[in-house]
Amino acid sequence: MTTEPTTLDSTLVLIKPDAVQRGLVGTILTRLEARGLLIRAIRSFVFTDELVREHYAHLAGRSFFPDVAAFMKSGMTVAVWVSGVDAVDVVRGMVGATNAREAMPGTIRGDLAVSTQRNLIHASDAPDSAKAELARFFPDGPSAPADPAAVRAAYSQAEAA
């Protein structure tokens, strides 16, 4: 059976203020890279009111939204453009359940977090949201092309074109 080559997908990861404050940025990036995912762009920033409203618009009517907004504005966030075959699903699997107390051991949240709101990381939930979120946080696109040597090291030629 022959597998058709697949192009690389991309997704957004946000390393939230709690992870930054706990010194876990390197640990999280290491886990993504160790899995074979490619870091194509990275930037740090502090959320503004406008950016919180835009990124978390789907939560705006929820009772906990003010707490989420305050938390996301409380410190530095690191945005990461991550690429790989089936990147959205692979990263979501690595992240674990939103409620970190329910996240499986071996996931980022399962190993490193214990809270629902202080859960270290955001990852796009679908290819369409990944595209919109990447455009929001990286309007000029990724800062680096996919490194062919890194792609060959992580994937067979049949898996990634």
Side-chain angles (χ1 to χ4, degrees), residues 126-143:
D128 288 344
S129 58
K131 185 176 181 178
E133 291 175 353
L134 287 167
R136 179 178 301 127
F137 291 98
F138 297 98
D140 296 328
S143 53

Side-chain angles (χ1 to χ4, degrees), residues 10-14 43 45 47 51 54-58 79-81 88 92 122-139:
S10 294
T11 192
L12 176 75
V13 168
L14 294 178
R43 66 180 274 257
F45 63 96
F47 266 87
L51 189 55
E54 182 181 347
H55 187 67
Y56 290 103
H58 62 288
V80 188
W81 183 304
V88 172
R92 293 286 293 185
H122 162 85
S124 301
D125 63 0
D128 288 344
S129 58
K131 185 176 181 178
E133 291 175 353
L134 287 167
R136 179 178 301 127
F137 291 98
F138 297 98

Side-chain angles (χ1 to χ4, degrees), residues 69-158:
F71 167 63
M72 293 306 294
K73 295 185 300 179
S74 70
M76 187 180 306
T77 293
V78 177
V80 188
W81 183 304
V82 179
S83 296
V85 174
D86 298 324
V88 172
D89 291 336
V90 170
V91 171
R92 293 286 293 185
M94 292 178 68
V95 168
T98 300
N99 181 341
R101 291 186 300 276
E102 296 173 0
M104 297 298 297
T107 64
I108 292 168
R109 289 178 178 146
D111 290 349
L112 304 172
V114 293
S115 174
T116 298
Q117 288 188 346
R118 305 292 191 268
N119 61 13
L120 307 178
I121 189 169
H122 162 85
S124 301
D125 63 0
D128 288 344
S129 58
K131 185 176 181 178
E133 291 175 353
L134 287 167
R136 179 178 301 127
F137 291 98
F138 297 98
D140 296 328
S143 53
D147 177 5
V151 172
R152 285 191 304 274
Y155 303 100
S156 72
Q157 186 174 2

